[in-house]
């Protein structure tokens, strides 16, 4: 660079010399130009050296400042880590106590997130720990010594903290930050949960372990919850389809299942898929239970099945005398002389019973005698009652076929859709 500059000035010197008429003046001019060229080259070289020296000094200063920031960050982080570990020990001892175990039992039960939040909020052993952990994560995120560092670098410090936390305490951390809004109004836990997501804090958490012993797999615990809930839904559908209130089954959502659905963890995929599609279980189970119900109704409503106690029985208008004859073996005529109930007789009777005011002949009775002379005896009002129940069952069958009970099932679906939406809204995206 300097040679090129010098040669350019040298060409300019000789050009000036040849252009000047007076040789002495030309020589003087050329010498002056040469001196100027040499001065400029020296100045440029000095400027470059000064610039290089300044850069070295700046790099050295930056390195020193970066080391200072790193040392300051490490010092402050170490202090927070020590405070965290102290509080973590306090929480562990509390959870291992009788009162702590009772508290923990209450915050893994099938209660709402809001109820769990109220139980944890201000808890004397839990709250201080949660605050220390929050400040530690916030410090790592906002005050990291290298402004250009990526998330991977910061995670080295958050992972160190996470590795020290016991699994049941880790569950409480997740639960503590799960209630991020109340009826859509955000609260201070939004930023806390956001940090937990950012640092992938629960990648290796075993939330379902809080519901079982250490030997049980998370999937087996989840499957047991799902199976129980599927059974509860089936019984709810059964009551709807049969228009009864026979069962008092409830669908239960233990909080570890909900927490597993809100944070990325080993059980997130199947937990969230189940929780946020629970309403589909009602549709699927309703379809299956409806088919089973109709199959049973069709089988039970066959005349031979519904009136099996009557078909083949004898009819009489004076049953007491006839029974007395048979018991005393004073049979004056053959039993075959009595009219016999058959399917045709019942079908004709059912036509009459479609009129709600219709009644059988009050003098009519039905009887049968076994090989030992014992009598099975039915009054006409028994037959009337059975016919009316049969007609009601036929109407019930028609209602099931026409999906008259679907709106009630749909109300359950709408409820669980709303529930799913409420839980989903608690997750900070």
């Amino acid at each position: 660079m300097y040679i090129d500059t010098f040669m350019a000035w040298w060409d300019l010197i000789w050009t000036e010399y040849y252009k000047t008429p007076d040789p002495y003046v030309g020589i003087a001019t050329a010498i002056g130009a040469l001196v100027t060229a040499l001065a400029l080259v020296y100045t440029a070289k000095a400027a470059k050296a000064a610039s290089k020296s300044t850069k070295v000094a700046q790099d050295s200063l930056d390195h020193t400042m970066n080391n200072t920031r790193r040392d300051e960050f490490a010092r402050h982080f170490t202090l927070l880590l020590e405070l965290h570990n102290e509080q973590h020990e306090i929480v562990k001892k509390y959870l291992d106590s009788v009162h702590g175990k009772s508290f923990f039992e209450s915050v893994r039960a099938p209660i709402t997130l809001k109820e769990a939040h109220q139980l944890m909020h201000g808890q004397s052993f839990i709250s201080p720990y949660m605050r220390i952990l929050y400040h530690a994560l916030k410090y790592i995120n906002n005050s990291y010594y290298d402004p250009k560092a990526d998330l991977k670098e910061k995670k080295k410090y958050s992972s160190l903290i996470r590795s020290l936390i016991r699994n049941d305490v880790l569950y409480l951390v997740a639960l503590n930050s799960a209630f991020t809004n109340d009826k859509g109004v955000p609260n201070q836990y939004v930023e806390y949960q956001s940090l937990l997501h950012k640092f992938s804090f629960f990648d290796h958490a075993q939330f379902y372990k809080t519901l079982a012993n250490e030997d049980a797999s998370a999937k087996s615990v989840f499957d047991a919850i799902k199976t129980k809930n599927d059974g509860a839904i089936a019984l709810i559908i059964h009551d709807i389809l049969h228009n009864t209130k026979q069962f008092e089954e409830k669908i239960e959502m233990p909080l570890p299942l909900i927490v597993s659905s809100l944070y990325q963890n080993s059980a997130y995929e199947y937990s969230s898929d189940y929780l946020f599609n629970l309403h589909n279980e009602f549709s699927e189970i309703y379809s299956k239970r409806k088919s089973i119900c109709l199959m049973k109704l069709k089988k039970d409503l066959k005349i031979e099945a519904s009136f099996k106690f009557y078909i083949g029985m004898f009819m009489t208008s004076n049953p007491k005398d006839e029974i007395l004859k048979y018991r005393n073996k004073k049979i004056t005529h053959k039993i075959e002389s009595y009219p016999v109930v058959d399917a045709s007789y019942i079908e004709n009777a059912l036509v009459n019973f479609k009129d709600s005011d219709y009644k059988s002949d009050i003098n009519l009775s039905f009887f049968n005698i076994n090989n030992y002379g014992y009598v099975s005896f039915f009054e006409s009002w028994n037959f009337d009652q059975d016919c009316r129940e049969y007609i009601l069952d036929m109407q019930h069958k028609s209602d099931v076929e026409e999906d008259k009970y679907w709106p009630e099932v749909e109300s359950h679906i709408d409820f669980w859709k709303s529930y799913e939406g409420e839980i989903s809204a608690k997750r900070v995206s």
Side-chain angles (χ1 to χ4, degrees), residues 331-372:
I331 302 174
T332 56
H333 50 279
K334 292 182 178 180
I335 193 171
E336 286 80 3
S337 63
Y338 290 93
V340 179
V341 179
D342 58 13
S344 178
Y345 172 82
I346 294 171
E347 289 172 357
N348 290 331
L350 288 171
V351 173
N352 295 325
F353 276 103
K354 289 182 180 180
D355 179 358
S356 59
D357 295 328
Y358 177 80
K359 291 183 180 179
S360 296
D361 182 357
I362 59 174
N363 294 318
L364 183 64
S365 296
F366 306 88
F367 72 95
N368 227 337
I369 302 174
N370 63 19
N371 295 332
Y372 300 99

Side-chain angles (χ1 to χ4, degrees), residues 311-411:
I311 292 178
M313 294 189 81
F314 301 100
M315 292 181 284
T316 179
S317 58
N318 195 2
K320 293 182 180 179
D321 289 344
E322 299 302 335
I323 292 170
L324 186 59
K325 289 179 185 178
Y326 284 109
R327 282 182 176 171
N328 295 324
K329 300 188 182 299
K330 295 178 180 178
I331 302 174
T332 56
H333 50 279
K334 292 182 178 180
I335 193 171
E336 286 80 3
S337 63
Y338 290 93
V340 179
V341 179
D342 58 13
S344 178
Y345 172 82
I346 294 171
E347 289 172 357
N348 290 331
L350 288 171
V351 173
N352 295 325
F353 276 103
K354 289 182 180 180
D355 179 358
S356 59
D357 295 328
Y358 177 80
K359 291 183 180 179
S360 296
D361 182 357
I362 59 174
N363 294 318
L364 183 64
S365 296
F366 306 88
F367 72 95
N368 227 337
I369 302 174
N370 63 19
N371 295 332
Y372 300 99
Y374 293 106
V375 179
S376 299
F377 180 71
F378 293 88
E379 297 281 3
S380 61
W381 62 267
N382 295 119
F383 183 72
D384 289 15
Q385 183 178 354
D386 289 344
C387 286
R388 296 206 182 282
E389 288 181 359
Y390 181 87
I391 289 172
L392 289 174
D393 288 342
M394 286 294 290
Q395 181 60 52
H396 175 231
K397 174 175 169 290
S398 177
D399 290 343
V400 173
E401 290 173 331
E402 295 172 10
D403 282 327
K404 292 288 182 68
Y405 299 101
W406 173 251
E408 191 173 349
V409 177
E410 204 165 27
S411 69

Side-chain angles (χ1 to χ4, degrees), residues 26-95:
I27 292 171
T29 301
I31 291 171
L34 177 61
V35 171
T36 301
L38 290 172
L40 286 172
V41 169
Y42 177 79
T43 301
K45 187 174 182 181
K48 183 176 181 181
S51 174
K52 185 176 181 181
S53 176
T54 301
K55 186 177 185 303
V56 170
Q58 184 64 47
D59 289 345
S60 177
L61 179 61
D62 289 345
H63 181 70
T64 301
M65 291 180 66
N66 191 54
N67 286 342
T68 301
R69 286 195 299 267
R70 184 189 60 196
D71 293 343
E72 176 61 22
F73 174 83
R75 185 189 68 77
H76 195 74
F77 174 78
T78 301
L79 176 61
L80 288 172
L81 185 62
E82 289 174 356
L83 289 172
H84 167 271
N85 293 344
E86 290 174 7
Q87 289 297 324
H88 185 244
E89 286 299 318
I90 292 172
V91 173
K92 287 196 300 182
K93 288 179 181 178
Y94 170 68
L95 292 178

Side-chain angles (χ1 to χ4, degrees), residues 280-294:
N280 291 328
E281 296 288 316
F282 279 86
S283 300
E284 294 173 8
I285 292 176
Y286 170 78
S287 180
K288 293 176 182 177
R289 300 302 299 186
K290 176 186 172 182
S291 297
I292 294 171
C293 179
L294 285 174

Side-chain angles (χ1 to χ4, degrees), residues 73 77 133-144 149-163 165 170 173 191-205 263-264:
F73 174 83
F77 174 78
L133 177 60
Y134 170 70
H135 285 302
L137 296 179
K138 187 178 179 181
Y139 181 72
I140 295 169
N141 186 61
N142 298 343
S143 304
Y144 195 70
D150 57 17
L151 184 59
K152 185 178 180 181
E153 285 294 314
K154 295 180 180 181
K155 278 187 175 182
K156 292 178 181 178
Y157 291 88
S158 65
S159 296
L160 174 61
I161 296 176
R162 186 190 61 201
S163 67
I165 305 175
L170 203 59
V173 172
E191 185 178 359
Y192 202 159
Q193 190 186 119
S194 179
L195 287 170
L196 294 171
H197 285 304
K198 186 172 186 177
F199 289 122
S200 306
F201 213 69
F202 306 110
D203 275 359
H204 306 290
Y263 301 93
Q264 197 67 43

